Amino acid sequence: MSKPLIDLHLHTYYSDGTFTPEQVAKAAEEMKLAAISLTDHDTIEGCDRLAKACDERNIEFIPGTELSVDIEGNEMHLLGYFLDTQNERLITETTKYQQNRTNRVHGLVDQLNELGIELDADDVFDLAKCKAPGRPHVARALVKHGFCGSVDEAFSRFLRRGAPAWVSKTNVDYREGIELIHQAGGLAVMAHPGLNKIDHLIPDLVKAGLDGLECWHTRHPKSTAKRYREMAERYGLIITGGSDCHGAGRGHPLIGTVRVPYEILEKMKNRIPAPTD
Ligand code: AMP
Ligand code: ZN
Ligand code: FE
Ligand code: FE
């Protein structure tokens, strides 16, 4: 029998993914995954539903999130794993981050309007139908209303960092993000470090209590994964991985396509501090 595999980086329509939690569970079952985590942007809202759908299919589920945080003026994504989804502070704070996302959509739409693109913020919210809207929703609205031919075009013409409609988003400081995850019983992992150019800041993250690096990721070539695995070893961090699947995409969904062995999850569990009370 082949070794059990897991996927620790997945999105649903509770943020910018297109799948429902049930569709994610079904896709995980089809890929024969032993465990998955839901890491929607700035929310834990879909976790309880996906936990139930996984339970019905005998798939282990780890409640997670992917927070956008600020580190020295750079945006980075911080994954949280093994979160208590009833944690009040986590719910209160992520609600604030969702408000920052909503404000940012208004900012992006204002910029688009300045450029003569007559998109309405409600066009985006009607399409997103979630509390954590993001640029992919703006891109999809631009395509739906005929302003762009594809999501890729929307990003490259308007929405990528530095493009004419791009505006920054208010993000929480990384130390606060790490602490928020820890106080909710979770582990804090730097998402896709290969997509950021902030390796020099990893020691600061370690000092702030970072637990791990996401080494395996769809957009990490083998050499990148190796580099971060070595770095994780040096800093005493755990290594994690996931596909960052946002739904069906252009064809087959990414879920399960980044091969992460189940042993990773065991190591993560060993890193969770025992409750102090
Ligand atoms: P936001 O959190 O609103 O800034 O949006 C970031 C999300 O947009 C990422 O998590 C990706 O899912 C997606 N994204 C970023 N760049 C691109 C791109 N060039 N094309 C398509 N999707 C992108
Ligand atoms: Zn995303
Ligand atoms: Fe990310
Ligand atoms: Fe992601």
Side-chain angles (χ1 to χ4, degrees):
M1 217 179 96
S2 54
K3 283 202 171 165
L5 297 176
I6 62 176
D7 191 331
L8 300 177
H9 193 151
L10 300 167
H11 296 272
T12 64
Y13 71 176
Y14 283 96
S15 69
D16 58 6
T18 59
F19 281 166
T20 62
E22 291 74 24
Q23 286 172 316
V24 169
K26 189 167 173 282
E29 187 177 41
E30 280 163 12
M31 293 302 286
K32 299 188 170 44
L33 296 176
I36 60 170
S37 179
L38 179 60
T39 54
D40 268 322
H41 297 283
D42 295 321
T43 184
I44 45 168
E45 221 195 335
C47 285
D48 290 352
R49 225 173 110 184
L50 187 48
K52 188 169 172 285
C54 282
D55 203 40
E56 287 163 4
R57 291 171 172 84
N58 225 354
I59 298 168
E60 189 174 343
F61 178 71
I62 294 93
T65 191
E66 181 174 20
L67 305 180
S68 298
V69 298
D70 177 86
I71 178 160
E72 312 285 336
N74 305 280
E75 178 173 312
M76 81 160 239
H77 289 175
L78 187 67
L79 297 161
Y81 290 113
F82 300 101
L83 299 169
D84 170 9
T85 57
Q86 306 304 312
N87 183 271
E88 269 180 38
R89 231 185 95 200
L90 183 62
I91 294 167
T92 308
E93 293 305 310
T94 49
T95 304
K96 288 186 204 162
Y97 308 163
Q98 291 156 24
Q99 188 57 49
N100 292 338
R101 287 186 161 274
T102 301
N103 295 342
R104 204 253 194 125
V105 168
H106 283 289
L108 292 165
V109 169
D110 286 349
Q111 287 297 109
L112 287 164
N113 293 163
E114 292 278 317
L115 295 164
I117 307 287
E118 289 177 20
L119 189 75
D120 199 279
D122 278 338
D123 296 333
V124 179
F125 298 130
D126 289 348
L127 179 147
K129 288 196 182 71
C130 74
K131 295 178 191 155
R135 282 180 295 162
H137 298 117
V138 180
R140 289 172 208 157
L142 283 168
V143 174
K144 182 180 168 192
H145 292 275
F147 296 111
C148 291
S150 68
V151 164
D152 281 349
E153 184 195 325
F155 267 92
S156 64
R157 265 177 72 197
F158 298 116
L159 302 172
R160 76 184 148 74
R161 191 187 177 89
W166 184 82
V167 290
S168 65
K169 179 159 64 64
T170 307
N171 291 325
V172 71
D173 182 81
Y174 69 102
R175 286 163 286 218
E176 214 176 309
I178 292 173
E179 204 268 321
L180 181 67
I181 289 168
H182 284 165
Q183 69 79 43
L187 297 177
V189 173
M190 184 185 188
H192 43 65
L195 306 190
N196 296 98
K197 298 278 175 286
I198 54 168
D199 283 6
H200 61 290
L201 297 173
I202 290 177
D204 292 346
L205 284 155
V206 173
K207 211 181 295 165
L210 187 78
D211 296 290
L213 294 178
E214 184 179 52
C215 298
W216 295 294
H217 183 271
T218 301
R219 292 176 61 198
H220 281 182
K222 260 198 178 136
S223 56
T224 304
K226 184 166 178 279
R227 184 155 57 92
Y228 288 111
R229 284 175 68 179
E230 287 165 1
M231 203 182 288
E233 176 110 14
R234 271 206 306 285
Y235 287 115
L237 299 172
I238 47 171
I239 58 179
T240 74
S243 65
D244 211 350
C245 177
H246 280 73
R250 289 193 198 91
H252 195 71
L254 290 172
I255 180 169
T257 56
V258 173
R259 296 177 67 82
V260 183
Y262 187 86
E263 296 94 87
I264 291 297
L265 202 52
E266 305 285 6
K267 289 188 182 140
M268 291 171 81
K269 287 175 187 166
N270 289 336
R271 175 114 184 175
I272 301 173
T276 44
D277 55 4

